[in-house]
Amino acid sequence: MDIRDLWAEALAGVLARPVRSALTTLGTVLGITTLVITLGVAATAGNQIVGRFDELTATAITVEVPAGPGGPLVGWDSPAEVRRLRGVTSVSALAQTEESSNLRVTANDLVDPTRVTGQTLAVVAGDPELPRAARGRMVEGRFFDAGHVRRGDRVVVLGDQAARMLGVTRLTGAPAVFIEDRAYTVIGVLGGLGREQVLSTAVIVPPTTGVGLGLRNVTRVLVNTSLGAADLIARQAPVALSPNHHDELQVISPPTPKRARDGVQDDVNGLFPILGLVSLVVGAVGIANVTLVTVMERVSEIGLRRSLGAARRHIAAQFLLESTLIGMTGGVIGAGAGLVSVVAVSAAQRWTPVLDARLALAAPVAGALVGLLAGLYPALRAARMEPADALR
Amino acid sequence: MPDVIVLDAVSRVFPTDPPVRALRDIGLRVRRGDYVAIVGPSGSGKSTLLNTLGLLDRPTSGSYLLNGTETTVLGDGARTRLRGREIGFVYQSFHLLPHRTVAENVMLAEVYGGHPRRHRRRRALEALELVGMSHRVDFPPGRLSGGERQRVAIARALMGEPALLLCDEPTGNLDSGNTEAVLDLFDGLHAHGLTLLVITHEDEVSARAGRRVRISDGVLTEE
């Protein structure tokens, strides 16, 4: 039997009773629609939540270092220990105290009564890794390096806001700023900060230079991790920074996005997939039922086909294909209705609909599978009929 | 050329309690081009004989050669293929599919058994022309008269050029006018050399056949 003939016979069989076929697809339509809505809305809602935990915050860890009673808990060389951890992309240590947060900084020592040249700015000590760890970039000039730190040079890097407030726009001619009436050379302007925004209004000095301004001890460590490593690093970093006092350090790490998403999906996924599966089973039973009735109605047709030379497998194949077609039609309609519903729900919630394209393709296949399974028994009944009995 | 049908000592016993012997040691030889009528009252074994001849039922014992092929040793699949190839069936109730056109019903005869799809419709139209139904090609069977339906069924049986046309009470549902038309058609097909075997209980039908065989209580007698 030519496969095109089989196809044509099955199609004609389905279309011979269009209303019945349409009603038979309903169960599958409902089931597939429910499943597509469930999965689609879950994916959409899940991605809305996850959207808030963007890569920036999901990989940023801050370790706050309290002032220890017997000396510093974290030394300026401790970040190197954290940098060795797998999954860490950059680390930097900062020092900032109450006193250093409100220091008078001026761009020159002229007293100009018409202009306010002095600003109260925060002075922060940081190591040369700071631009990377704060995810900033040098707008002007350069950041200080290990050499500056070793020599204790009186150099500063200004945050971009601080530079604007002080009127430092370019670095030609090596401008200086005065912190508490002592001059420091400005060698760079740091801007575009991805985190630790407070630095944009700060004056950053090397740690060795900061000692003179009361910035002796590390008060904060910025750690950046690769995506997904934040959880692990948040546990490991305190130990690496201060093996003896790790429990005194305060770690601020991002919430785990996975848990947030799971929470949403649990709510949506609890009941609806079960409903969808139940409707699918009901749909399958419906198809099986109607196909069985159809087989009984078409006994003489089966007899005729057998007398025209149809083998049992031809009869079985035709009825299987008919029920599969009905199931697949239900799957296609259900997928369409489900997609439209997901988009409608998203529009109502002002969400961006997120749908797996594979879901749209899998739905008709699932429908066809339901139809195929539902058609097994009726097709077997049809194939088993004795042609002599069928023609009576 | 072998004879179309050779039955030798064919018996069919239904294993009921007590067993029913529907066919008893039947012998029958139908040559190519024969027009044979099998007559008998209901319950005489007519249907069992028809089913046996049509390869729809197996004899309990004996031998049945269809167009030179021993059928009693064949498996289900081989019997199905042989049936589709060698036998055209004509039924009392026509067995036309109500949702398909006349042409599609005739073309159904070539769906099974590896016939080419090319020119299938043309062959169906030729068969319909042979039975004088060219003017109803795209009608649904429901809009045809009984006689017209039977002619469509005959056209379907003629597709694939069977060795034997097996007719089961072909005029049972027809009035006398339509009966006459169908019998005239049989005469014409017989004249073209087709082998016809008609099972009937109507004398009018059997009178047109060249040969009459009577079956009674499972026993066949030539008249």
Side-chain angles (χ1 to χ4, degrees), chain A residues 100-182:
Chain A
S100 81
S101 296
N102 296 296
L103 290 177
R104 207 168 64 80
V105 181
T106 54
N108 54 57
D109 55 357
L110 290 176
V111 178
D112 185 346
T114 62
R115 281 176 60 193
V116 180
T117 51
Q119 300 281 351
T120 305
L121 295 174
V123 176
V124 175
D127 63 25
E129 277 291 303
L130 191 58
R132 243 160 66 76
R135 300 185 207 188
R137 61 190 169 80
M138 298 312 294
V139 182
E140 291 280 346
R142 52 169 301 195
F143 205 76
F144 45 79
D145 58 22
H148 292 113
V149 175
R150 194 169 57 247
R151 293 187 299 271
D153 288 345
R154 283 174 39 183
V155 292
V156 297
V157 170
L158 301 177
D160 51 356
Q161 297 288 340
R164 198 167 305 134
M165 285 190 268
L166 292 168
V168 176
T169 51
R170 56 179 62 184
L171 300 178
T172 45
V177 293
F178 296 83
I179 304 171
E180 300 292 310
D181 300 330
R182 291 187 70 180

Side-chain angles (χ1 to χ4, degrees), chain A residues 130-349:
Chain A
L130 191 58
R132 243 160 66 76
R135 300 185 207 188
R137 61 190 169 80
M138 298 312 294
V139 182
E140 291 280 346
R142 52 169 301 195
F143 205 76
F144 45 79
D145 58 22
H148 292 113
V149 175
R150 194 169 57 247
R151 293 187 299 271
D153 288 345
R154 283 174 39 183
V155 292
V156 297
V157 170
L158 301 177
D160 51 356
Q161 297 288 340
R164 198 167 305 134
M165 285 190 268
L166 292 168
V168 176
T169 51
R170 56 179 62 184
L171 300 178
T172 45
V177 293
F178 296 83
I179 304 171
E180 300 292 310
D181 300 330
R182 291 187 70 180
Y184 296 80
T185 309
V186 179
I187 60 167
V189 176
L190 177 63
L193 293 160
R195 58 184 290 201
E196 209 66 14
Q197 309 289 347
V198 68
L199 290 177
S200 69
T201 57
V203 179
I204 307 158
V205 299
T208 43
T209 314
V211 173
L213 295 163
L215 297 166
R216 281 190 186 76
N217 301 336
V218 175
T219 57
R220 194 183 305 155
V221 179
L222 308 181
V223 184
N224 294 303
T225 71
S226 47
L227 205 57
D231 255 4
L232 183 68
I233 299 301
R235 288 198 303 274
Q236 295 177 342
V239 183
L241 285 169
S242 180
N244 294 330
H245 303 282
H246 59 87
D247 45 357
E248 289 173 40
L249 304 184
Q250 193 189 346
V251 180
I252 302 161
S253 64
T256 312
K258 205 173 76 197
R259 266 178 232 133
R261 179 163 45 188
D262 287 351
V264 171
Q265 284 191 337
D266 279 349
D267 296 343
V268 187
N269 285 4
L271 194 59
F272 281 92
I274 298 173
L275 271 178
L277 287 176
V278 167
S279 344
L280 264 194
V281 171
V282 171
V285 172
I287 293 179
N289 227 332
V290 174
T291 309
L292 201 59
V293 170
T294 307
V295 165
M296 293 309 154
E297 273 182 6
R298 288 161 71 181
V299 165
S300 74
E301 178 188 329
I302 294 165
L304 170 75
R305 288 179 187 276
R306 294 300 308 275
S307 76
L308 290 175
R312 292 184 195 278
R313 68 194 144 84
H314 294 140
I315 301 294
Q318 180 177 343
F319 281 100
L320 267 187
L321 190 55
E322 285 187 20
S323 66
T324 306
L325 275 176
I326 285 180
M328 194 172 70
T329 310
V332 169
I333 297 173
L339 295 190
V340 168
S341 308
V342 170
V343 171
V345 167
S346 304
Q349 301 276 353

Side-chain angles (χ1 to χ4, degrees), chain A residues 1-2 4-5 9 12 16-17 300-301 304-312 314 318 387-388 391-392, chain B residues 51 56-57 76 80-81 83-84 87 89 91 94-95 97 99-100 108-114 117 120 156:
Chain A
M1 185 182 192
D2 195 306
R4 285 170 295 178
D5 283 328
E9 291 303 314
R17 299 161 189 79
S300 74
E301 178 188 329
L304 170 75
R305 288 179 187 276
R306 294 300 308 275
S307 76
L308 290 175
R312 292 184 195 278
H314 294 140
Q318 180 177 343
L391 284 166
R392 195 162 289 156
Chain B
N51 288 341
L56 300 169
D57 195 5
D76 212 38
T80 299
R81 282 192 292 278
R83 177 166 66 228
I87 305 174
F89 287 90
Y91 307 97
F94 323 129
H95 284 310
L97 301 186
H99 300 284
R100 316 289 282 276
L108 199 64
E110 285 200 357
V111 164
Y112 307 100
R117 282 168 62 89
R120 182 180 290 171
R156 181 181 62 199

Side-chain angles (χ1 to χ4, degrees), chain B residues 16 20 32 50 116 133 137 140 147 221:
Chain B
T16 49
V20 176
R32 193 159 300 275
L50 175 96
M133 286 297 296
V137 165
T221 46

